[in-house]
């Protein structure tokens, strides 16, 4: 039985902490800052950090790796095609790794960055800055087509998959989602719920793929209502889901 919790970092990052209570070993995903992880380890004597999983090279995801590597014997896993500090295992699409005795599949999900990867284990998805709750990452390196393909691949995982992304962006993403789909009752309900959660300081993650498919406009570019709204905003007929996705992402960049 592995327990998953969030160590908040910076203003809106979560460092996911995976704990194996049988062995008292733990792993972290995307430690952009070493301090929250080291504080947790100091407060939990007996626990050993054995693995560090990295989704992409941005500083808010890798900034703490070197310090954690120096302080522990943790093994660092990261994308092969990006520069990751202290990386021990270079991962590419469809690789499999064993972490805390669990098998994780590695998916290449280019878009936010070109080498971005996601980790999947039986209903648990760690997707960094690719799929967010009610949104998706900015296209810093990849094309809209690449990101659309990456998101479609993640969306094909089982509906009850828990989505552990890196940032608490859900509320601002939903304000955009409701602008795209003002008539979507699921989006309206989620916006109301998340507004209350954030007002109370409650984390809105993990999400589920089922909820994302109902409310995340970036997973809904096949919907006629989304296409029509995006066409109206961009003043053109966007041909095909990939073009709708590109125009939707461009709209969000300026929202
Ligand atoms: Zn990033
Ligand atoms: Fe990030």
């Amino acid at each position: 039985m592995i327990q998953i919790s969030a160590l908040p970092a910076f203003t809106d990052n979560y460092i996911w902490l995976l704990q194996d209570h049988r062995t008292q070993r733990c792993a972290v995903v995307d430690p952009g800052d070493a301090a929250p992880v080291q504080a947790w380890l100091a407060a939990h004597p007996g626990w050993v950090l054995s693995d560090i999983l990295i989704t992409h090279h941005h500083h808010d995801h890798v900034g703490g790796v070197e310090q954690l590597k120096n302080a522990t014997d943790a093994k660092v896993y990261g994308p092969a095609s990006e520069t990751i500090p202290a990386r021990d295992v270079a991962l590419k699409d469809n690789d499999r790794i064993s972490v805390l005795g669990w098998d994780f599949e590695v998916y290449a999900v280019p878009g936010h960055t070109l080498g971005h990867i996601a980790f999947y284990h039986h209903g648990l998805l760690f997707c960094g800055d690719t799929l967010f709750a009610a949104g998706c990452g900015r296209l810093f390196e990849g094309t809209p087509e690449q990101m659309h393909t990456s998101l479609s691949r993640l969306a094909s995982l089982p509906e009850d998959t828990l989505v552990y992304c890196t940032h608490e962006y859900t509320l601002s993403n939903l304000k955009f989602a409701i602008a795209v789909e003002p008539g979507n009752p699921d989006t309206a309900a989620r916006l109301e719920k998340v507004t209350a959660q954030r007002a109370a300081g409650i984390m809105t993650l993990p999400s589920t793929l089922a909820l994302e498919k109902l409310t995340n406009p970036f997973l809904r570019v096949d919907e006629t209502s989304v296409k029509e709204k995006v066409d109206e905003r961009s003043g053109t007929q966007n041909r095909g889901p990939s073009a709708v996705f590109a125009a939707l992402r461009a709209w969000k960049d300026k929202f």
Side-chain angles (χ1 to χ4, degrees):
M1 175 61 192
I2 293 186
Q3 181 188 350
I4 303 175
S5 44
L7 304 177
F10 310 116
T11 52
D12 51 36
N13 282 61
Y14 295 123
I15 300 167
W16 296 109
L17 171 74
L18 286 60
Q19 290 173 257
D20 180 354
H21 285 270
R22 280 176 310 119
T23 60
Q24 292 218 319
R25 286 188 307 143
C26 61
V28 289
V29 183
D30 286 352
D33 186 4
V37 181
Q38 292 190 299
W40 187 89
L41 289 168
H44 297 79
W47 282 87
V48 172
L49 179 69
S50 58
D51 302 273
I52 298 173
L53 306 186
I54 301 297
T55 62
H56 67 293
H57 67 89
H58 285 162
H59 189 262
D60 64 307
H61 298 248
V62 302
V65 173
E66 226 137 34
Q67 200 176 323
L68 291 173
K69 182 76 181 168
N70 290 336
T72 67
D73 289 324
K75 198 183 219 182
V76 180
Y77 299 83
S81 64
E82 296 191 348
T83 304
I84 306 296
R87 185 186 58 208
D88 296 299
V89 183
L91 299 172
K92 54 186 186 353
D93 196 23
N94 296 321
D95 278 349
R96 275 172 178 269
I97 56 172
S98 177
V99 173
L100 305 176
W102 280 5
D103 282 336
F104 282 85
E105 286 171 54
V106 175
Y107 302 134
V109 284
H112 179 68
T113 65
L114 284 175
H116 200 303
I117 56 174
F119 299 90
Y120 178 77
H121 164 87
H122 192 71
L124 304 173
L125 175 66
F126 296 92
C127 51
D129 290 355
T130 297
L131 174 63
F132 287 133
C136 74
R138 274 178 189 265
L139 303 177
F140 284 115
E141 298 175 11
T143 64
E145 291 71 25
Q146 284 175 314
M147 187 58 132
H148 180 239
T149 301
S150 296
L151 291 175
S152 301
R153 185 173 180 190
L154 297 182
S156 72
L157 293 167
E159 292 261 310
D160 60 355
T161 296
L162 295 171
V163 178
Y164 292 89
C165 54
T166 303
H167 292 274
E168 179 63 66
Y169 289 160
T170 317
L171 181 55
S172 61
N173 284 341
L174 282 167
K175 288 176 181 168
F176 177 69
I178 202 74
V180 178
E181 292 191 278
N184 183 330
D186 297 306
T187 302
R190 191 179 187 188
L191 176 58
E192 191 179 341
K193 182 181 175 187
V194 164
T195 299
Q197 284 178 314
R198 294 309 296 151
I202 296 168
M203 173 170 75
T204 63
L205 303 177
S207 176
T208 66
L209 272 184
L211 183 59
E212 293 311 315
K213 287 181 182 181
L214 289 173
T215 60
N216 187 330
F218 295 98
L219 298 186
R220 295 172 56 78
V221 293
D222 289 312
E223 297 287 325
T224 307
S225 59
V226 173
K227 180 197 176 329
E228 284 175 355
K229 183 59 111 179
V230 171
D231 285 354
E232 178 194 315
R233 291 288 311 191
S234 58
T236 54
Q237 285 286 326
N238 293 287
R239 292 191 183 276
S242 201
V244 174
F245 178 86
L248 183 65
R249 187 57 257 186
W251 176 12
K252 174 72 162 67
D253 287 345
K254 288 181 262 124
F255 186 76

